Amino acid sequence: MKKIITLLVILGFYQQVKAQDDQPNILWIVSEDNSTFLGCYGDPYATTPNLDRLATQGILFQNAFSTAPVCAPSRCTLITGMLPTSLGTENMRSTYPSPSFVKFFPKYLREAGYYTTNNSKKDYNTTDQAEAWDESSNTATYKNRKPGQPFFAVFNLFVSHESNIFGNQPQLQHDPEKAPLPPYHPATPEMKHDWALYYDKVQKMDEQAGALLQELEASGLADNTIVFYFADNGGVLPRSKRFMFESGLHVPLIVRLPPKYRHLAPGLAGTRSDRLVTFVDFAPSVLHLAGLRLPAYLQGKPFLGKNTPPENEYAFSFRGRMDESDDKVRSLRDKRFRYVRNFYPHKIYGQHVTYLWNAASMQSWERAHKAGTLNEAQSSFWKEKPVEELYDVLADPHNIHNLAGKKEHQATLERFRKQLHRQLRDTRDAGLIPEAQIVEISQSTAPYDYAQSKSYPVEKVLETAEIASSRESRLLPVLVTRLADGDATVRYWAATGITILGRKALPAKKQTVALLEDQSIAVRIAAAEAAYKLGVKEKALEVLRASLHSTNHMARVQALNVLQSVSAPDLAVLKEQLSGIVADKSAPTYDVSLAKYLLTK
């Protein structure tokens, strides 16, 4: 009997050791703000020997996409395995809570015996969960784990971040006269300089990635470690980061699986995969590689490991508020086309974002626009957006030629349109709720929980948002009816639709003015924007003035955004109040940035 027990103990110990031995280490190398500007992606201007070498040793994914064209919402997707449009966390630098059942996925690894480290950026756009990490700091490293303990380690490379092309810079290594400017950029000296400088930063990032790979090799761990390299969003020159084009959403992704784990790879070393992959798939992929059961709430699916499910037919991405500038865009991508739906088509692409305007290239583009020296492709950035955009990415990688109005592409357009509607309906897109309302909801519940409840009439909200953004004056009677709807979000979108139609919505003037006294501040501000467009200026300005004193920060930001469409003489009435915001040292950054900008108009 004792021998049997002893044998069972030994067998159990052996199985435990074997299980640990089978669990791969996983290393993430995450660069900031860069698209596929690497030699291995076919870019001859790039100097990236280390990542090019990694691509020969691993799988290069040709169709990998961030879920948002900016870091914080994308990082929220990465860490939760859920879409911020479902969580209500799509807006930049918001900290609205996630539902209680959602764990940052490294927590599952940690509970399974992994040593988890993050060096060191978080920026998860939701309430932090510090317990997901054994270490999270600028000195965090897998080297501090116990002997034989598997690890999941993240290293974030900041050198390619947008901020690193601001201000005075050292001598360029890449020739600005040879910089591959896209057709939408004017060839100003500043633009050429910043493109060359950006490639310098990508080269430096490649060196840092190479150092991490060399360190892994020197530690003797490379044969037991699966390495991911990817960027947190596209970028970084104007019309890339923050924007819903290939330049903002298409990211590099290389995964190296050592021979020991080659059976978990979708192909041989040095090959390419055209599988559609987005950030929502990363958490389930890592958990699957570690042999862990996937939580049911995850919205992505593994693209690595044994028995992976069929690939996605579409890659979904989104845009909400970017810093102080508000917008609402959704996009789908298949292997040939990118479809974009603009829910605020009355706003121009090039809305002012103070941070973006720190770049000399951005400033030079605006000067060229004001000087009238731009061609059609370059000047479209400064115009209102179309309701829908459709690009043949294979033929038009820079997304210049919108095919949405072409007769021969109507079947494709309709296919994407229906699929996007299903996507937003089925995920109960909480991003359609105005952010000032999200602020109020999050005081008592997670936005996700609200959006999943019967309190959120998602189908009616979505239908109203689609009608409102359609620019179809024939649908005005529907908007008029919904101005009196019992749901605040429906009323918000109906009022927004009046703004988008402008003078074509004059028959709705009486109903629009009535909403200036709505109980929801988000609706009142939307109604003020619409009423101003219909000529009811004094009452509209009074609502906007009062909103600037709201305790709801995002209501103030909403009002300040609306004021950008007000004429200079009418804006002068608020000059004293705007100056007071700028002078207030306790005022939030977004308030100050918007007030400063309005004072220059």
Side-chain angles (χ1 to χ4, degrees):
M1 188 67 175
K2 287 182 180 180
K3 289 183 178 180
I4 294 174
I5 293 174
T6 301
L7 286 171
L8 288 173
V9 170
I10 292 172
L11 179 61
F13 177 75
Y14 169 77
Q15 288 176 335
Q16 181 180 358
V17 170
K18 187 177 186 301
Q20 290 178 345
D21 187 55
D22 286 344
Q23 286 182 309
N25 303 316
I26 300 171
L27 172 65
W28 277 12
I29 300 174
V30 188
S31 60
E32 301 231 10
D33 295 353
N34 61 279
S35 298
T36 56
F37 299 115
L38 308 175
C40 53
Y41 277 88
D43 191 331
Y45 190 64
T47 308
T48 53
N50 294 293
L51 293 174
D52 295 348
R53 187 179 309 111
L54 184 68
T56 67
Q57 301 165 347
I59 312 297
L60 182 148
F61 288 84
Q62 297 171 300
N63 291 317
F65 301 94
S66 59
T67 41
V70 74
C71 61
S74 283
R75 287 173 177 270
C76 182
T77 311
L78 287 166
I79 201 68
T80 63
M82 296 189 70
L83 294 169
T85 47
S86 289
L87 293 173
T89 56
E90 73 167 49
N91 295 300
M92 182 67 174
R93 296 278 152 67
S94 57
T95 53
Y96 307 120
S98 297
S100 59
F101 61 82
V102 172
K103 295 181 181 180
F104 288 2
F105 83 86
K107 179 72 178 300
Y108 296 111
L109 294 169
R110 194 178 181 194
E111 290 172 348
Y114 271 76
Y115 191 75
T116 62
T117 71
N118 177 55
N119 187 329
S120 61
K121 184 172 181 176
K122 290 185 174 181
D123 212 5
Y124 297 138
N125 226 49
T126 187
T127 307
D128 192 20
Q129 297 179 21
E131 67 277 9
W133 305 104
D134 286 286
E135 291 184 80
S136 183
S137 70
N138 59 9
T139 60
T141 173
Y142 55 84
K143 294 180 180 180
N144 295 331
R145 74 197 191 288
K146 296 175 182 176
Q149 185 178 12
F151 67 80
F152 172 68
V154 180
F155 289 89
N156 295 276
L157 306 182
F158 187 76
V159 68
S160 55
H161 186 267
E162 175 182 21
S163 58
N164 289 300
I165 67 166
F166 298 163
N168 296 324
Q169 297 286 344
Q171 185 175 354
L172 296 174
Q173 295 176 277
H174 286 81
D175 184 353
E177 295 304 318
K178 296 180 180 178
L181 269 64
Y184 50 80
H185 277 169
T188 65
E190 295 88 349
M191 189 67 76
K192 290 188 286 187
H193 174 276
D194 281 2
W195 267 104
L197 177 60
Y198 169 56
Y199 273 87
D200 285 356
K201 301 303 180 183
V202 171
Q203 179 178 349
K204 185 66 177 177
M205 178 275 293
D206 177 81
E207 293 170 4
Q208 293 179 353
L212 289 171
L213 293 169
Q214 187 175 13
E215 182 180 56
L216 184 73
E217 192 75 39
S219 68
L221 294 168
D223 289 342
N224 293 310
T225 303
I226 297 172
V227 177
F228 287 61
Y229 161 72
F230 60 96
D232 64 350
N233 52 257
V236 66
L237 274 290
R239 194 190 176 268
S240 57
K241 181 180 179 180
R242 301 182 185 86
F243 296 95
M244 297 291 283
F245 301 106
E246 291 295 289
S247 54
L249 294 166
H250 191 197
V251 296
L253 170 62
I254 303 167
V255 182
R256 184 180 74 188
L257 296 93
K260 181 178 180 179
Y261 300 111
R262 192 64 49 78
H263 62 286
L264 303 177
L268 299 175
T271 60
R272 294 170 176 250
S273 170
D274 69 349
R275 181 178 179 127
L276 286 169
V277 174
T278 78
F279 284 177
V280 78
D281 302 316
F282 279 45
S285 294
V286 171
L287 295 178
H288 189 55
L289 286 171
L292 304 185
R293 181 176 297 177
L294 303 186
Y297 65 80
L298 295 179
Q299 293 176 311
K301 52 189 179 182
F303 59 90
L304 297 164
K306 296 179 181 178
N307 303 317
T308 55
E311 67 177 304
N312 301 307
E313 186 177 356
Y314 300 95
F316 171 73
S317 301
F318 61 89
R319 170 176 170 160
R321 176 181 51 74
M322 297 288 174
D323 292 341
E324 72 267 30
S325 182
D326 198 17
D327 210 341
K328 194 71 61 185
V329 191
R330 301 290 184 263
S331 181
L332 289 174
R333 169 77 144 80
D334 67 9
K335 291 182 180 180
R336 178 179 174 186
F337 293 99
R338 176 166 295 284
Y339 170 76
V340 180
R341 177 63 189 248
N342 293 300
F343 285 93
Y344 293 158
H346 59 302
K347 294 177 179 282
I348 67 171
Y349 291 103
Q351 295 181 70
H352 188 88
V353 176
T354 301
Y355 197 79
L356 172 58
W357 256 253
N358 284 320
S361 48
M362 185 71 248
Q363 297 169 30
S364 75
W365 195 1
E366 184 177 40
R367 285 195 301 270
H369 161 63
K370 291 179 177 178
T373 61
L374 302 177
N375 62 31
E376 184 178 352
Q378 295 160 359
S379 61
S380 64
F381 183 73
W382 305 97
K383 298 176 182 178
E384 290 187 359
K385 301 185 290 294
V387 175
E388 295 177 297
E389 300 172 68
L390 181 68
Y391 301 104
D392 183 339
V393 177
L394 302 183
D396 178 24
H398 294 295
N399 305 163
I400 296 296
H401 305 291
N402 184 8
L403 305 176
K406 303 294 183 181
K407 184 178 180 179
E408 61 269 29
H409 291 288
Q410 290 310 297
T412 299
L413 186 70
E414 183 63 20
R415 169 170 64 87
F416 274 100
R417 185 184 294 150
K418 288 181 177 178
Q419 178 60 33
L420 184 66
H421 180 92
R422 286 192 290 267
Q423 166 79 25
L424 305 190
R425 179 198 64 201
D426 294 349
T427 59
R428 301 186 69 84
D429 194 310
L432 297 174
I433 304 170
E435 193 172 7
Q437 192 177 339
I438 290 283
V439 169
E440 296 169 352
I441 290 168
S442 63
Q443 300 303 310
S444 58
T445 187
Y448 173 89
D449 291 330
Y450 172 82
Q452 294 294 314
S453 73
K454 293 180 180 180
S455 298
Y456 183 45
V458 66
E459 292 197 31
K460 194 170 191 180
V461 167
L462 176 56
E463 182 185 57
T464 310
E466 290 170 339
I467 292 170
S469 59
S470 70
R471 295 190 186 272
E472 294 280 354
S473 56
R474 64 182 177 82
L475 297 174
L476 179 60
V478 180
L479 293 177
V480 170
T481 299
R482 296 191 180 183
L483 287 170
D485 194 84
D487 183 81
T489 305
V490 172
R491 297 195 302 275
Y492 166 84
W493 278 107
T496 300
I498 302 301
T499 295
I500 292 169
L501 286 175
R503 304 295 288 182
K504 293 180 181 179
L506 273 171
K509 183 175 179 179
K510 179 180 178 181
Q511 294 89 336
T512 302
V513 171
L515 284 187
L516 294 175
E517 298 180 4
D518 195 90
Q519 61 182 358
S520 166
I521 191 168
V523 175
R524 291 199 300 274
I525 296 169
E529 184 175 20
Y532 185 88
K533 285 280 187 77
L534 299 178
V536 187
K537 296 185 176 182
E538 188 175 343
K539 288 184 178 179
L541 289 171
E542 268 308 306
V543 169
L544 294 172
R545 182 197 301 272
S547 299
L548 296 182
H549 294 287
S550 174
T551 57
N552 185 323
H553 179 204
M554 285 306 143
R556 300 195 304 271
V557 169
Q558 182 185 348
L560 288 163
N561 269 273
V562 169
L563 286 171
Q564 294 184 51
S565 62
V566 168
S567 69
D570 290 333
L571 198 57
V573 176
L574 297 173
K575 183 176 180 180
E576 184 177 345
Q577 192 165 353
L578 295 172
S579 298
I581 293 173
V582 174
D584 183 359
K585 293 183 179 180
S586 65
T589 301
Y590 296 159
D591 296 42
V592 174
S593 295
L594 283 164
K596 280 184 177 179
Y597 177 63
L598 289 167
L599 287 169
T600 66
K601 286 177 67 69

